[in-house]
Amino acid sequence: MKPTATEEDILSVIDRIESCGAKAHPSRGEEVTVIGAVGDREHVQRLNLEQHAGVEQVVPILKPYKLSSRQFAAHGERTVIEIDGRLIGGDHFSMIAGPCTVESRDQTLTTAHAVAEAGASMFRGGAYKPRSSPYSFQGLGQEGLRILAEAKAQTGLPIVTELMDARDVEAILEVADVIQVGARNMQNYPLLAEIGRTGKPVLIKRGLSSTLEELLMAAEYVLKEGNPNVMLCERGIRTFETAYRFTLDIMAIPMLKELSHLPVIVDPSHAPGRRDMVLPLSLAAAAAGADGIIVEVHPNPEEAICDGPQQIYSDAFGAYLEQVERAAAVAGKVLSAAA
Ligand code: PEP
Ligand code: MN
C-alpha cells in the first residue's frame, strides 16, 4: 500500500482479496502496510488490485513460501519480535542460554542465575526432550516446566522451551515465552499449525536433513495461521563429513536473510557436539550477521544427563558472551537486554 493509504483503503483491499476466496495477511510496518494475498493466483490477478485506491504495487511472489519470503516485507523491512521488552532481529543480537535439559531445580536455577548475571537475553531448557533412543531420559515434563517458571520468576529471563506434542501446548503456554520446535519436528505440520494458532513466538530449528526452502515452508505453516512471531534456527545438518556430528551451515545465515525477513538464530552446540568448538562457531555466526545464538550451558557438564560434552561451563559463560558480543558488533548488532 502507499504510505498515504487510509485505513479505509486497506480494509477495502482486504475485502476484495477475500471476495475471491484468497486469504489476506496484512502486515503493518512503521511506514507502509503490506497485504499478502495467499490463494489462487489467477483469481487474485483478476481483481486488478493495481487500480484500487491506496495500492502502490502488486508483486507476485513466485516462491512456494509467501509470508516468510523477503518480498512480502515492505521496503525490505525485517521482522523484529518483542519478548518481554527484549527485541529479536534488526540491529539486535539475542543470547539465549541455558541447559540442554531441565534436570533438577538446583541445576536449572544455578544456570539461570549465572547466565542472567552475565547478561543473557533469554533462558533455554528442555522439559520435553526429543531423544534418539526411547530408553534415554525423556525430560521432567510438567515438573520441568514448573522449575522453568521458577527460573523466570527469579531472574526475569524469558523462557525458551521445546514443545514436542500438540497435546502439551496448554502446559507449555503457561511457561514459555518462546516455543521451540526441535529439528526432528520441523516437518510436523499439525504441530506447526497448532503453534501458529497460539500466536506465541516460536523458534523453528532446521531439520537434520532439511533444505532452507523446507525450513521456510515450516515457517509458512506458522505464519499462515496468523502468528507473525517466527524465528529460524540453523543447528547443523547431515553431510558426508563424519569428523563432527553435524555440519553447521554458516552460509544459511546470509542466504536466509536474502530469502526471508525473519530473524535467524544459530545453535553452535548441537552441530559439533563438543564444547571446544562452541566459541569459534558462535563467533563465526555472530560475525556473519546472525540475529542471535542459542547455546547450551551447564554448571557441571560432566554430570549432565544429556549433551554433556557440548555444554559450556556456566562459570565461563560471562567471558564467552563478551567475545560473542564483540563479533556481533562487527556485524553492527548490540546485545538485546530488557528495556
Ligand atoms: C535441543 O535444543 O536441545 C535440541 C534437542 O535441539 P535439536 O532439535 O536441534 O536437535
Ligand atoms: Mn541438547
Side-chain angles (χ1 to χ4, degrees), residues 100 124 129 270 296 306-307 310:
C100 175
R124 66 148 285 155
K129 294 304 297 180
H270 289 87
E296 291 190 344
C306 172
D307 285 349
Q310 75 198 29

